[in-house]
Amino acid sequence: MKIFIFLCLFVCIKAVTAQGQPDSVPWLGQLGKQYQETAYKLLLGINLQGSTQVNPEKSLKYLKIGLHRTVTDFGGRHMPIAWTCGLSTEILLDKSPIYGFKMSTWATAFFFVAGMSTVYYTDFKQGNFKIRPEIGFGAYPFKLTMGYNIPTIFNKDFERVRRNNMQITLNILLRLKTIKRK
């Protein structure tokens, strides 16, 4: 876990220090120019999931990887405004792992992030489907959000994730391929 966090921080520092290279941090090297970019991006993240009840269950720590399609408006003199949607997998690294198959979408504007996710958690014996609205802060290419896991079908069946209803997520999006730029 510590190596993963260190790797994320290293990538972030590398992106911010590459100011003269428009492909690494477009809005730093392109101030004053307006354009829109559509791209496929790799999503890497860490999720901390816990409970708001009086006797909280053990918090769960998930690693996350996924593929997102983003549309980003680089508006010249302001931070990028982005919309993204995609698929990802959350993995609880434990003796008996839990996998979360997730579909999500969110928008980022002026450091504010709002989005919605649907997640199916399973250990391939039991499963649990949750809907998660998320709000938080973000700046290209980062996102830090807090979400509430709304229990839906089969909630009582999967005891390990039943009471974990709050989640804090840190994500970074890394460009894989630019589809179009206008």
Side-chain angles (χ1 to χ4, degrees):
M1 179 67 88
K2 292 178 184 176
I3 293 173
F4 182 76
I5 293 170
F6 177 76
L7 181 61
C8 286
L9 288 174
F10 177 76
V11 168
C12 298
I13 291 168
K14 212 46 179 149
V16 170
T17 58
Q19 291 182 21
Q21 301 170 6
D23 285 340
S24 35
V25 186
W27 61 275
L28 284 176
Q30 300 289 319
L31 284 177
K33 296 181 182 178
Q34 287 186 292
Y35 65 97
Q36 187 178 74
E37 176 185 88
T38 304
Y40 286 113
K41 297 188 179 178
L42 176 67
L43 174 81
L44 299 174
I46 300 170
N47 297 340
L48 304 174
Q49 199 176 82
S51 176
T52 57
Q53 296 179 357
V54 176
N55 293 323
E57 299 293 317
K58 176 181 144 184
S59 65
L60 304 174
K61 297 170 187 83
Y62 294 87
L63 295 180
K64 183 174 173 179
I65 188 166
L67 179 65
H68 276 247
R69 183 174 189 264
T70 64
V71 177
T72 308
D73 177 32
F74 298 94
R77 305 231 185 274
H78 62 75
M79 297 287 291
I81 298 170
W83 174 80
T84 183
C85 66
L87 301 171
S88 59
T89 302
E90 300 176 357
I91 303 167
L92 173 70
L93 301 176
D94 197 16
K95 289 179 247 176
S96 54
I98 297 174
Y99 300 92
F101 300 100
K102 181 176 182 180
M103 183 173 65
S104 61
T105 184
W106 69 79
T108 305
F110 307 105
F111 299 107
F112 179 74
V113 177
M116 181 69 74
S117 301
T118 57
V119 188
Y120 181 73
Y121 291 105
T122 185
D123 61 358
F124 297 109
K125 295 178 187 140
Q126 299 172 337
N128 184 293
F129 180 74
K130 295 188 186 266
I131 297 171
R132 180 185 312 135
E134 300 174 339
I135 60 169
F137 299 98
Y140 185 86
F142 305 100
K143 170 178 93 102
L144 177 65
T145 59
M146 186 168 88
Y148 181 78
N149 292 322
I150 300 170
T152 59
I153 58 175
F154 307 119
N155 188 50
K156 295 188 188 305
D157 295 344
F158 197 5
E159 187 63 34
R160 288 177 64 198
V161 297
R162 183 168 69 96
R163 290 191 179 94
N164 291 336
N165 54 3
M166 295 300 294
Q167 181 149 333
I168 296 174
T169 305
L170 174 63
N171 289 328
I172 181 171
L173 288 166
L174 304 172
R175 183 182 305 121
L176 294 175
K177 180 178 180 175
T178 300
I179 301 168
K180 69 178 178 179
R181 183 181 274 190
K182 60 178 182 170

